[in-house]
């Protein structure tokens, strides 16, 4: 099967500032992929390039023909003085039918919020409405940029459980960015560790034990990660640029 999206030697910059260099990766149908990396490591830039909002300085981004994307941005500012209901928000900028709006709200787990004012939503409700917006057109690939920022631990765990349910319903792939490694990584098929470039990628257990990953995050991440931890003898000593995706996971 062809991948939904493929990055080939992609470089991203803002003017002269290089945000990401030489990214090679691909996402296939139905996969859950998590991107982890410190602040400023280029995670949001990668998603913006994927949706076409940021043109690569060089390299290629190949999307499957007619690919339907759903995108939950890291930040979205809505003028609090502007009266706008949830339903109205979801029917901007392109008109969608009210049945589509209510189906998306239901799928996002907030079927009762349609008539509410955007400015009155709690953080968790606002995230669910952004999720509903991303689900309007039944995406084949759902992109979540730190979607649980500002939610407490039970709130974000519930959010990720909900994402898994949505994934099963839609049969879509999910590419998510998160810092909450212990919540996220266990559900991922693959993890990509970024720090201005792809430091390492592979199955969660392989990445969690990779020296490049540990150098960035330490080994004290606890939770589900501990489950995966095992001691590889990574002979290569230096730092980055190893692709672990083909290593054995024993
Ligand atoms: P992350 O999401 O991992 O925190 P970003 O992709 O937002 O990282 O940013 C990567 C790098 O690009 C950072 O050094 C950041 O300062 C820079 N950057 C991000 N957006 C812009 C922008 N609009 N203009 C200039 N530099 C930017
Ligand atoms: Mg970001």
């Amino acid at each position: 099967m062809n991948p939904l999206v493929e990055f080939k030697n992609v470089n991203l910059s803002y003017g002269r500032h290089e945000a990401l260099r030489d990214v090679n990766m691909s996402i296939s149908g139905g996969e859950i992929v998590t991107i982890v990396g410190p602040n400023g490591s280029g995670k949001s830039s990668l998603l913006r390039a994927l949706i076409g909002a940021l043109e690569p300085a060089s390299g290629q981004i190949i999307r499957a023909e007619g690919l339907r994307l759903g995108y939950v941005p890291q930040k979205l500012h809505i003028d609090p003085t502007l009266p706008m209901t949830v339903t109205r928000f979801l029917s901007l900028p392109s008109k969608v039918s009210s049945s589509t709006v209510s189906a998306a709200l239901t799928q996002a787990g907030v079927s009762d919020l349609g008539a509410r004012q955007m400015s009155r939503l709690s953080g968790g409700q606002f995230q669910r409405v952004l999720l509903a917006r991303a689900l309007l057109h039944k995406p084949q690939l759902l992109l979540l940029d730190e979607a649980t920022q500002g939610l407490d631990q039970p709130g974000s765990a519930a959010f990720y459980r909900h994402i898994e349910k949505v994934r099963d319903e839609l049969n879509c792939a999910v590419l998510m960015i998160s810092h909450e490694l212990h919540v996220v990584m266990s559900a991922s098929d693959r993890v990509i560790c970024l720090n201005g470039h792809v430091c390492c990628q592979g199955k969660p257990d392989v990445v969690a034990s990779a020296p490049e990953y540990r150098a960035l995050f330490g080994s004290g991440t606890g939770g589900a990660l501990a489950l995966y931890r095992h001691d590889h003898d990574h002979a290569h000593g230096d730092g980055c640029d190893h692709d672990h995706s083909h290593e054995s996971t024993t």
Side-chain angles (χ1 to χ4, degrees), residues 155-212:
S156 53
F159 186 86
Y160 287 120
R161 276 200 303 277
H162 195 83
I163 294 298
E164 285 176 48
K165 197 176 125 205
V166 167
R167 201 275 294 248
D168 293 343
E169 285 166 16
L170 281 179
N171 236 323
C172 60
V174 179
L175 178 58
M176 63 172 114
I177 288 176
S178 182
H179 282 119
E180 294 153 299
L181 309 176
H182 49 296
V183 180
V184 166
M185 273 178 85
S186 63
S188 306
D189 299 309
R190 212 143 51 78
V191 175
I192 299 174
C193 183
L194 278 192
N195 193 20
H197 64 299
V198 176
C199 280
C200 51
Q201 59 177 317
K203 292 189 190 303
D205 55 343
V206 177
V207 169
S209 60
E212 302 86 347

Side-chain angles (χ1 to χ4, degrees), residues 31-90:
E31 269 192 307
I32 297 186
V33 177
T34 297
I35 295 180
V36 296
N39 281 331
S41 61
K43 305 181 298 297
S44 295
S45 302
L46 186 146
L47 286 199
R48 286 200 290 271
L50 201 161
I51 65 168
L54 179 61
E55 201 53 43
S58 63
Q60 263 185 304
I61 300 174
I62 303 160
R63 299 174 192 82
E65 208 181 315
L67 178 65
R68 294 188 310 278
L69 294 170
Y71 174 51
V72 179
Q74 181 167 7
K75 277 187 235 131
L76 185 71
H77 180 72
I78 294 179
D79 184 346
T81 63
L82 193 72
M84 180 162 44
T85 65
V86 167
T87 298
R88 175 92 180 108
F89 170 73
L90 292 177

